[in-house]
Amino acid sequence: MRGTFRALVTGAAVVAALLAASGGVTAAPSPSAGTGGEIRGGDAFLVDTGRCVVGFTVTEGFVATSRCGPVGGEVRTTGGELVGVVRGSTYPVPGGAWVETTDAWTLSPSVGRAGGGTAVLGSTLVPMGGAVCATTSTSGWRCGNVLAHDQSVAFPEGTVSGLTRTTLCSDHGRDEGTPVVSGNQAQGVLLLASGPCPGGGGSDHVLPVNPLLAAWGLTLRTA
């Protein structure tokens, strides 16, 4: 598998290539109902591989990073309640994932909870130099600017291309997976954090949301 990911193209083809190589969406059993609640971007749940952070809600559930685990894996609350099942994932190669949630959960078209959060109105890509913000679990809202699009990062499992490089400087190992927005426009999910950076100079990489939606034929929930 590793050789397959060493020469990925940018944009939607990156996620599509990862998806094809990882076997795509398999016939995992439908998730059962639970007591549920509201889900919005930035919420964190548990999976076998650690934490699964909600990127953005879609009509069938939510998109996230492949930290949510392999296809067929279950996403649960800290109390053990089933949230959903991973229907698509590039795991173990860093990239995207799609989780189908149970009918018990309400999917909010917003990110963050502090002060009511921010409504998501669309997913227009911000140009270089544009402002972006992430709602992180460690420091709340953290903002920066876009340095470049279509960037590549080499991971032990393979090289991932089509990423957006920013100055967000979020906490490495703790903030990956959090949603990144520009105003009310969804930009992507944080794939690699470079912080903490008390003196500045961070270089966080974001996995764009539109290729994730295209890879699995999903529709972003908007307010």
Side-chain angles (χ1 to χ4, degrees):
M1 175 185 286
R2 295 185 179 181
T4 305
F5 293 100
R6 296 194 183 278
L8 297 178
V9 292
T10 60
V14 174
V15 181
L18 290 170
L19 177 59
S22 63
V25 178
T26 63
S30 296
S32 59
T35 57
E38 184 186 56
I39 294 177
R40 63 176 64 191
D43 288 348
F45 298 108
L46 299 179
V47 291
D48 289 341
T49 52
R51 294 170 74 246
C52 176
V53 181
V54 178
F56 296 95
T57 58
V58 296
T59 51
E60 299 85 356
F62 61 86
V63 290
T65 69
S66 56
R67 293 166 71 95
C68 290
V71 171
E74 294 183 345
V75 178
R76 295 185 177 273
T77 66
T78 54
E81 180 184 350
L82 183 64
V83 175
V85 172
V86 180
R87 297 298 189 187
S89 178
T90 63
Y91 182 89
V93 176
W98 161 42
V99 176
E100 178 190 9
T101 54
T102 73
D103 292 338
W105 295 88
T106 300
L107 301 167
S108 173
S110 60
V111 298
R113 291 187 179 272
T118 296
V120 175
L121 302 184
S123 57
T124 300
L125 187 67
V126 66
M128 287 177 55
V132 289
C133 294
T135 172
T136 71
S137 60
T138 59
S139 56
W141 284 98
R142 184 185 294 271
C143 297
N145 297 93
V146 172
L147 294 174
H149 292 295
D150 294 329
Q151 300 295 290
S152 298
V153 173
F155 293 89
E157 302 84 359
T159 298
V160 180
S161 302
L163 304 177
T164 298
R165 184 160 59 93
T166 74
T167 61
L168 285 172
C169 202
S170 304
D171 286 354
H172 176 64
R174 303 178 66 184
D175 288 336
E176 281 88 354
T178 55
V180 177
V181 298
S182 179
N184 294 105
Q185 299 296 310
Q187 297 301 301
V189 289
L190 185 60
L191 189 66
L192 179 63
S194 57
C197 315
S203 185
D204 289 7
H205 286 79
V206 177
L207 182 66
V209 68
N210 286 329
L212 289 182
L213 300 175
W216 291 299
L218 303 173
T219 300
L220 183 71
R221 283 185 177 261
T222 57

